[in-house]
Amino acid sequence: MLTTPSHPFHTLGIVGTGAMGRGIAQLAAQAGLEVSLHDARTGAVDEARDFIAGVWSRGVAKGRLSEDDLARYRARLHEATELADLAGCDIVVEAIVEKLEAKQELFTRLEGILDDQAVLATNTSSLSVTAIASACRLPQRVIGFHFFNPVPLMKIVEVIPGLRTTSEVVERVEALGQAMGHFTARATDTPGFLVNHAGRAFGTEALRLLGEGVADPTTIDRLLVDQGGFRMGPFSLLDLTGLDVSQAVMESIYHQYYEEARFRPSPLTRSRLAAGLLGRKSGEGFYRYVDGQAQVPD
Ligand code: NAI
């Protein structure tokens, strides 16, 4: 159970149980919180719970977790069929679609459901936390809590106060991130925050190299992994993140920086998106995936 006095969160809600929401839910349950999961799509919560249970079962098979741990963790995952079922949560983390209006609308609805003390956290990659909070009655309880994909393995989380977030909320959320086993990096509420701003150059330049016919994705990825020391090349990362999510993030950062040329998104991702090539989640992006292994498309 949680013991640090500065993070008295016992119940955590997740809205959006896709790639990110399920990872956050997994860590929160492991940290001792009761976790309620909600998704707009029927069946999504069951898929997420099965996915997380699969991760834990593999942990048991490898001797990293006991059967008791598995049973305790599983019992902490609950389905919130309706958004209203999140009433009583101390904190809700949203990981829905990367659209400002959707996140604003969700937080406005949650304010009608939750106690005034509850914290509203957004896993947005690029949108302004202050802008999301501006739709809220109590913007001082809104904060950015930005994990990376895959959540359990990427052991860093950005904590981003909006302009009106209280220091108490910031400290509690930082303590929660640490209790979930992550290093917390406090970032200012600027487009892309810290990591997605710093990392932008590699993604956009790699797309330019491809667009100009300088090299193919495999060569560029290989170069950055072997020579640059990256764990993953930019095209593998785009496919992992999902081209739908990546495109929204690239567009968002570009527009928030007043169309600064160095942040301009590439038509290459947009055309793949139009063709339904979203990356790993659809089976093909810059690579084709067979049994989870990347192949170079014909
Ligand atoms: P995803 O597409 O895997 O999952 C999103 C889920 O939200 C889906 O299950 C969808 O049904 C649900 N959803 C959408 N609108 C909803 C609504 N209004 N109410 C309830 N459920 C709703 O997306 P992913 O990749 O998990 O991204 C989610 C958020 O996390 C986005 O804001 C994204 O920018 C951010 N993020 C994504 C990262 C990545 O690498 N994929 C990394 C860090 C942040």
Side-chain angles (χ1 to χ4, degrees):
M1 280 301 290
L2 299 176
T3 49
T4 311
S6 62
H7 59 75
F9 296 113
H10 301 290
T11 47
L12 179 142
I14 297 279
V15 183
T17 60
M20 299 305 292
R22 60 185 60 179
I24 299 167
Q26 180 194 328
L27 292 190
Q30 290 170 194
L33 287 100
E34 295 296 324
V35 182
S36 296
L37 300 133
H38 176 77
D39 197 286
R41 185 171 63 79
T42 309
V45 169
D46 281 339
E47 284 168 25
R49 282 199 295 193
D50 289 348
F51 179 89
I52 299 167
V55 173
W56 287 331
S57 296
R58 286 192 292 282
V60 172
K62 289 180 179 161
R64 292 197 206 115
L65 280 184
S66 69
E67 289 284 356
D68 278 359
D69 289 333
L70 174 67
R72 275 187 301 121
Y73 294 170
R74 281 188 82 143
R76 290 182 190 142
L77 295 181
H78 314 280
E79 175 161 13
T81 317
E82 306 295 330
L83 198 65
D85 296 336
L86 296 177
C89 284
D90 299 326
I91 178 169
V92 174
V93 184
E94 74 74 22
I96 65 166
V97 60
E98 184 77 346
K99 287 199 179 126
L100 178 62
E101 299 72 24
K103 292 188 192 287
Q104 286 178 328
E105 196 217 329
L106 173 65
F107 277 9
T108 310
R109 285 177 65 202
L110 283 168
E111 283 205 302
I113 293 167
L114 301 168
D115 289 347
D116 283 358
Q117 290 71 35
V119 170
L120 291 173
T122 171
N123 187 52
T124 181
S125 310
S126 64
L127 300 170
S128 161
V129 175
T130 306
I132 296 171
S134 70
C136 292
R137 183 171 51 85
L138 299 172
Q140 60 270 32
R141 44 112 153 239
V142 176
I143 191 160
F145 199 28
H146 179 217
F147 289 86
F148 297 87
N149 190 8
V151 178
L153 300 182
M154 301 294 283
K155 296 205 170 287
I156 182 167
V157 57
E158 288 179 316
V159 174
I160 308 122
L163 282 184
R164 301 180 68 181
T165 314
T166 63
S167 53
E168 189 211 344
V169 167
V170 178
E171 282 157 20
R172 288 176 68 197
V173 169
E174 276 181 342
L176 175 64
Q178 287 157 20
M180 289 164 73
H182 277 30
F183 172 78
T184 52
R186 202 180 287 195
T188 50
D189 188 21
T190 50
F193 317 124
L194 176 56
V195 175
N196 275 332
H197 187 165
R200 208 80 332 251
F202 298 101
T204 48
E205 198 56 38
L207 284 161
R208 276 192 201 111
L209 286 171
L210 178 64
E212 290 169 17
V214 178
D216 61 21
T218 316
T219 308
I220 297 168
D221 276 355
R222 181 94 194 249
L223 186 81
L224 280 166
V225 171
D226 288 355
Q227 301 301 316
F230 284 67
R231 283 170 69 182
M232 188 179 269
F235 294 101
S236 299
L237 181 60
L238 281 162
D239 276 2
L240 176 71
T241 303
L243 267 58
D244 49 347
V245 174
S246 297
Q247 184 71 23
V249 170
M250 289 191 284
E251 301 261 356
S252 164
I253 293 177
Y254 175 60
H255 293 305
Q256 287 182 79
Y257 273 114
Y258 302 103
E259 285 76 40
E260 200 173 314
R262 68 186 163 128
F263 295 118
R264 184 172 296 136
S266 165
L268 292 178
T269 38
R270 194 190 299 202
S271 59
R272 275 184 168 68
L273 201 53
L277 306 178
L278 306 185
R280 278 183 180 269
K281 65 173 90 169
S282 70
E284 185 171 342
F286 287 98
Y287 298 99
R288 184 174 297 145
Y289 296 87
V290 179
D291 298 328
Q293 297 300 313
Q295 326 269 319
V296 179
D298 309 326

